[in-house]
Amino acid sequence: FLAIFTLRQLKLDEPMLDLRVFKSRIYVFSTIIVMIAYASLISSELMIPMYLENIKGLSAFRSGLVLMPGAIVMGIMNPITGILFDKYGARVLAITGLTLLALGTFGLSRLTVGTTEMYVIIIYAIRMFGIAMITMPLTTSGLNSLDRNYYSHGNAIINTLRQVAGSIGTSMIITLMTKARAYSGYANPTEASVFGMNVSFAAVGILTAIGIVLAFFTV
């Protein structure tokens, strides 16, 4: 349906969303990196509670407490990254944020049945620190590359694609986790589940590493 909508907009004299925003290379690659970050965020927010509750046996409330420090870190960093963006620009923040996100994601690909809650708290907080340095600065950078008349169009498009990336990314990661668990070779279902999660986090880490390359050369 998005494809049909896109084709329709290209044929209208006054489109609802003007897709000429994609003529800006900075906007295109900023949007792609934001999509990668958002897919990484949403998929991890699904898998980590699954690990904590299904593997570690924690309650939903306690799982939420494990994730809360990361959310606090992101909330604190959002205004700070705005100041850093004004001072250093998007490229420095994007590369730094994506590097932290990649390191944190690969850190989550080393989970075991005995991994401590503190390890998950720290690694998740590192990831959220990195995401805070990506989403707002790159969204701003992408919109700044557009003519002022296209701001509303660019903002609507990047928000839509961010949601699409989150949903598709989650579907792909859960599918990968399920397949890896089924072919893990572990007789113990708990160990097989952890293996599947590790494979999924490693895949997200690779995707994030691709984002680093994009940020380095294009933002």
Side-chain angles (χ1 to χ4, degrees), residues 15 35 68 86 114 150 186 188 212:
M35 290 172 67
M68 187 171 66
D86 291 337
Y150 293 120
Y186 287 100
N188 188 318
I212 296 175

Side-chain angles (χ1 to χ4, degrees), residues 1-67:
F1 279 109
L2 280 174
I4 294 171
F5 176 82
T6 299
L7 292 173
R8 175 63 177 158
Q9 297 308 299
L10 291 173
K11 293 179 180 179
L12 294 176
D13 294 331
E14 295 184 9
M16 181 185 300
L17 285 179
D18 198 324
L19 301 178
R20 283 178 290 183
V21 296
F22 289 111
K23 290 182 178 180
S24 168
R25 192 181 71 167
I26 294 177
Y27 178 83
V28 169
F29 286 102
S30 295
T31 301
I32 292 173
I33 295 171
V34 169
M35 290 172 67
I36 290 173
Y38 204 74
S40 176
L41 171 65
I42 298 301
S43 60
S44 66
E45 287 185 342
L46 178 65
M47 285 196 294
I48 292 176
M50 289 174 61
Y51 168 77
L52 294 172
E53 294 172 32
N54 298 340
I55 306 301
K56 302 291 290 182
L58 302 185
S59 65
F61 177 75
R62 191 165 176 177
S63 297
L65 291 179
V66 171
L67 298 180

Side-chain angles (χ1 to χ4, degrees), residues 73-156:
V73 167
M74 189 172 188
I76 293 173
M77 280 302 298
N78 277 332
I80 296 175
T81 53
I83 297 172
L84 295 176
F85 173 76
D86 291 337
K87 188 173 183 179
Y88 298 107
R91 177 177 291 176
V92 173
L93 290 180
I95 294 172
T96 304
L98 285 164
T99 300
L100 291 173
L101 180 58
L103 291 174
T105 305
F106 282 119
L108 289 175
S109 70
R110 301 176 61 84
L111 296 175
T112 66
V113 177
T115 299
T116 63
E117 294 171 44
M118 184 56 65
Y119 178 85
V120 177
I121 290 172
I122 293 172
I123 294 298
Y124 184 72
I126 291 173
R127 295 180 83 253
M128 296 300 279
F129 189 98
I131 289 174
M133 301 181 75
I134 300 169
T135 50
M136 185 279 292
L138 282 180
T139 299
T140 304
S141 176
L143 294 177
N144 283 347
S145 70
L146 303 176
D147 185 90
R148 188 175 297 273
N149 295 328
Y150 293 120
Y151 279 2
S152 59
H153 298 276
N155 190 48

